Amino acid sequence: RNCREGEHGGKEKYPGGPIVAELISRLLEQTHYARKSIDDDVSKQFLKNYLDSFDYNHMLLEKSEIDEFESKYATTLDDRVKDGDVEPAYEIYERVIKRLEERVALVKRLSAGDFAYDIDEAVILDRHETAWPATPKDAEEVWRQRIKHEFLLEHLARLKAAEMKAAAPVKKDEKPAKE
């Protein structure tokens, strides 16, 4: 990371960020094979790619946050980057870190509880094409299903290992393993 503890939201921002942003925008426009100008369409793609880099499976952020970032930055990132304004990157990053800390606490809470496996429900493991959770309650449900799935996989792996161990032939010189 190019951040140190400091005044801005707990992090000191990399002082070269604005210059780097300006240079990259010029390089992309002048030397990229597509020679595409950095415009609102590219701005939207920048934002989508940046959000996906942090939350590819749509499990950290909520729909309202995505809408907020899109309304603020979807058509302005191009101009901001050309001007060396990298503040949106820090704002999004800080929000992701905040949500990540909340999700870690949620996972700990969910992991301490019990899951009912006699309920017919499905979990979507690759959530990239699904919508972001609409509410904190929806986000919690996504995580509950995911954690339940992981617990079930771990339980099944242990059962399989025990079956394989029990089915393994015992060598003449060895005593059967006690469980």
Side-chain angles (χ1 to χ4, degrees):
R1 274 192 244 175
N2 290 327
C3 297
R4 296 183 301 272
E5 295 300 319
E7 301 172 7
H8 308 287
K11 297 290 177 193
E12 183 178 318
K13 294 175 175 70
Y14 174 61
I19 294 168
V20 171
E22 289 178 50
L23 288 172
I24 288 174
S25 69
R26 265 193 248 128
L27 282 171
L28 285 173
E29 286 184 324
Q30 296 169 4
T31 64
H32 190 270
Y33 73 92
R35 296 251 194 249
K36 187 172 182 174
S37 64
I38 297 179
D39 58 13
D40 288 353
D41 289 336
V42 171
S43 183
K44 290 173 190 171
Q45 193 61 48
F46 276 175
L47 181 61
K48 180 186 180 312
N49 291 347
Y50 192 64
L51 292 169
D52 280 349
S53 74
F54 288 118
D55 193 10
Y56 185 80
N57 274 320
H58 302 181
M59 293 181 69
L60 295 176
L61 298 169
E62 294 166 12
K63 177 75 170 107
S64 61
E65 294 169 307
I66 299 304
D67 292 344
E68 173 193 345
F69 294 139
E70 286 176 346
S71 70
K72 287 166 74 172
Y73 304 126
T75 59
T76 64
L77 275 182
D78 54 327
D79 300 320
R80 289 172 179 268
V81 168
K82 289 176 186 175
D83 291 340
D85 179 3
V86 294
E87 195 58 38
Y90 286 106
E91 180 185 348
I92 293 168
Y93 172 79
E94 288 170 5
R95 184 79 56 88
V96 167
I97 294 301
K98 179 181 176 187
R99 290 291 170 256
L100 191 56
E101 290 168 351
E102 292 171 1
R103 301 305 185 238
V104 167
L106 175 63
V107 167
K108 287 178 181 178
R109 184 172 57 79
L110 291 171
S111 297
D114 291 324
F115 295 104
Y117 293 101
D118 57 351
I119 299 169
D120 187 16
E121 60 184 354
V123 61
I124 299 170
L125 298 177
D126 182 359
R127 294 186 37 80
H128 179 66
E129 298 298 326
T130 64
W132 270 273
T135 65
K137 185 177 178 182
D138 292 342
E140 183 170 335
E141 179 61 13
V142 165
W143 280 95
R144 184 196 65 78
Q145 289 177 345
R146 184 61 180 253
I147 298 303
K148 178 180 176 179
H149 170 77
E150 296 298 330
F151 270 58
L152 181 58
L153 286 180
E154 181 65 25
H155 177 71
L156 293 173
R158 287 182 183 163
L159 287 177
K160 182 71 172 171
E163 286 175 10
M164 291 176 65
K165 188 176 183 179
V170 178
K171 294 180 184 176
K172 287 184 179 183
D173 298 340
E174 287 185 27
K175 293 181 183 177
K178 293 183 181 178
E179 299 200 11

